[in-house]
Amino acid sequence: MSRELFVLTYGALVAQLCKDYEKDEDVNKYLDRMGYGIGIRLIEDFLARSAVRKCHSYSEIADMIAQVAFKMYLGITPSVTCINKRRNKFSLILNKNPLVDFVEELPAGRSSLCYCNLLCGVIRGALEMINLAAEVTFVQDRLKGDDVTEIGITFLRKLEDKKCKKK
Amino acid sequence: MAIFSVYVVNKAGGLVYQLDHYAPRAEAEKTFGFPLDLALKVHDERVVVAFGQRDGIRVGHAVLAINGADVSGRFTADGRDVLELLSNPAHYPVSIRFGRPRLSSNEKLMLASMFHSLFAIGSQLSPEPGSSGIEMLETDTFKLHCFQTLTGIKFVVLADPRQAGIDSLLRKIYEIYSDFALKNPFYSLEMPIRCELFDQNLKLALEVAEKAGPFGPGP
């Protein structure tokens, strides 16, 4: 499969969302929601193919996301740092980001658009399927003028197994 | 060497997929004269042989059809009670088909949720913390293998006790599930799986595992 086709498809998706919704917050929200739908399915593919053992700490999970998952799906390995004493906030610094290969800068009037917000939704959805509630956002974004692109993951709590209603 | 069936159970204990893969079961159809020399009784809403095993008709076999017409539970297709019918000499000679009763889909749903609960109890009974839950249930006629993913889905395979390679088969089924069920955009999570591609690939994987026999699939 062509990498260009994947990047172009993502670009077309974001461009269409920008046409459909005026506010940046809406576009970001829908990108996150789409990513969530992908994440809840992608987690099984990840677990089936990578045969990883169960993780017992948030830092193991953050390492797993950066070193195994990102590598498997996007071919990049962000670096992970833990940024608080409670060890539940992590930042992933992306040196390269294939999704923005062809993007120079955000269009005028779209200064708070998080172009790759889909990735945040994917991570959030995947974590929720293994019973971890997390907040995932772009802390810094090269497209917005920052030096690096940084994704912040805050692990909130372990979710209880929900007992769904049976049909 | 056989794999008998595959069950996929979701997080809540509901059955989302079931496949019966075994060879056609033994059925025996015979014509009987009055009085019937088999002792029949009603068990679980079916008429089963209680005693008097002979000619391929074993204890536990259920009445499947009378005079060619399938029975439903303890009543015939036209609503008459089977035992009453068979106790009336006017209906003889009668041809009855016996065989191992098939589980109805409701029964399978119930068994899947019961297994889900037993699985949970199994991991709580463990003296060590963080136990995995039931991985294998062994009887003299079959072995039940269970694999629970980190997301809570259980894959259960019932196979011949001598069949090897079920662990790798379970992992393969997980891959097939993540490919053909989850990547189908119209499949909703936790719902029954009705995807052709999933069926086909699963059957292929079962055949590969069966061919490998007691030594398991190759490297």
Side-chain angles (χ1 to χ4, degrees):
Chain A
M1 236 279 290
S2 157
R3 172 190 154 124
E4 273 82 17
L5 181 59
F6 170 61
V7 176
L8 279 173
T9 307
Y10 185 73
L13 178 76
V14 180
Q16 187 59 46
L17 278 176
C18 286
K19 285 206 190 90
D20 291 341
Y21 301 104
E22 273 184 29
K23 293 212 207 128
D24 291 346
E25 295 77 43
D26 286 340
V27 179
N28 292 340
K29 183 175 77 174
Y30 287 113
L31 278 172
D32 183 87
R33 207 184 275 183
M34 277 194 271
Y36 177 80
I38 295 175
I40 57 178
R41 294 162 187 260
L42 203 64
I43 178 74
E44 307 272 11
D45 181 82
F46 173 67
L47 291 173
R49 302 228 133 79
S50 62
V52 293
R53 306 263 87 193
K54 192 167 176 164
C55 290
H56 292 109
S57 72
Y58 291 141
S59 49
E60 274 180 44
I61 296 177
D63 285 336
M64 190 74 70
I65 295 175
Q67 287 153 13
V68 190
F70 264 90
K71 184 102 185 24
M72 199 191 264
Y73 292 113
L74 289 175
I76 56 176
T77 316
S79 55
V80 187
T81 27
C82 178
I83 55 180
N84 77 342
K85 281 230 174 69
R86 272 183 62 200
R87 307 203 62 77
N88 71 330
K89 278 200 175 136
F90 295 86
S91 97
L92 273 65
I93 311 264
L94 279 70
N95 294 320
K96 285 188 302 175
N97 185 353
L99 290 177
V100 303
D101 269 354
F102 303 125
V103 183
E104 286 176 353
E105 54 177 19
L106 293 174
R110 287 281 181 196
S111 52
S112 47
L113 175 67
C114 292
Y115 186 80
C116 296
N117 217 31
L118 195 94
L119 292 180
C120 295
V122 172
I123 298 174
R124 183 173 65 91
L127 287 174
E128 190 170 305
M129 290 301 275
I130 44 172
N131 296 325
L132 289 168
E135 255 173 34
V136 189
T137 49
F138 270 91
V139 179
Q140 293 188 76
D141 196 342
R142 268 218 193 94
L143 285 180
K144 289 185 188 159
D146 299 314
D147 300 324
V148 292
T149 306
E150 181 186 335
I151 299 181
I153 305 180
T154 307
F155 291 97
L156 298 172
R157 62 186 176 280
K158 215 166 181 319
L159 293 166
E160 283 309 310
D161 278 330
K162 286 189 275 232
K163 297 254 179 285
C164 315
K165 283 205 198 78
K166 273 194 274 214
K167 279 175 79 161
Chain B
M1 285 309 110
I3 295 176
F4 301 134
S5 35
V6 178
Y7 292 75
V8 181
V9 182
N10 69 12
K11 275 194 265 216
L15 187 64
V16 298
Y17 183 78
Q18 200 281 322
L19 176 71
D20 282 329
H21 190 65
Y22 32 77
R25 34 172 96 246
E27 285 177 356
E29 182 149 17
K30 288 209 148 356
T31 312
F32 297 91
F34 189 80
L36 201 56
D37 55 352
L38 301 165
L40 298 174
K41 67 170 182 182
V42 174
H43 175 69
D44 265 354
E45 286 309 306
R46 285 197 194 94
V47 179
V48 298
V49 176
F51 210 73
Q53 194 160 286
R54 65 162 187 141
D55 292 337
I57 301 171
R58 326 239 335 225
V59 169
H61 276 197
V63 172
L64 298 178
I66 293 192
N67 289 334
D70 284 338
V71 307
S72 62
R74 48 184 295 196
F75 297 102
T76 61
D78 40 355
R80 287 177 298 171
D81 187 289
V82 167
L83 284 179
E84 256 182 62
L85 198 151
L86 292 175
S87 56
N88 186 340
H91 294 116
Y92 286 81
V94 69
S95 142
I96 314 180
R97 177 152 42 103
F98 289 94
R100 279 235 13 242
R102 239 172 240 286
L103 286 173
S104 71
S105 35
N106 269 345
E107 284 169 338
K108 288 178 188 167
L109 270 162
M110 241 177 24
L111 289 176
S113 7
M114 272 202 274
F115 181 73
H116 172 84
S117 316
L118 285 175
F119 186 96
I121 294 173
S123 55
Q124 285 171 23
L125 278 176
S126 161
E128 301 282 320
S131 160
S132 73
I134 298 177
E135 284 181 353
M136 180 154 74
L137 211 79
E138 191 171 342
T139 73
D140 56 348
T141 46
F142 73 91
K143 260 191 198 169
L144 180 152
H145 301 252
C146 176
F147 168 57
Q148 183 182 51
T149 69
L150 291 172
T151 49
I153 312 253
K154 282 183 259 307
F155 296 94
V156 177
V157 168
L158 271 67
D160 190 294
R162 293 157 295 171
Q163 179 77 40
I166 300 287
D167 277 341
S168 54
L169 174 67
L170 284 167
R171 303 275 177 298
K172 184 90 182 90
I173 297 178
Y174 188 23
E175 275 181 33
I176 295 175
Y177 168 74
S178 77
D179 280 342
F180 299 104
L182 290 186
K183 293 192 180 127
N184 180 339
F186 303 114
Y187 167 66
S188 338
L189 258 55
E190 313 287 300
M191 290 288 118
I193 300 176
R194 306 230 183 283
C195 311
E196 261 301 320
L197 285 172
F198 179 74
D199 278 336
Q200 286 170 12
N201 283 275
L202 181 60
K203 287 185 183 138
L204 259 163
L206 291 181
E207 267 152 43
V208 166
E210 277 183 338
K211 278 207 184 71
F215 306 106

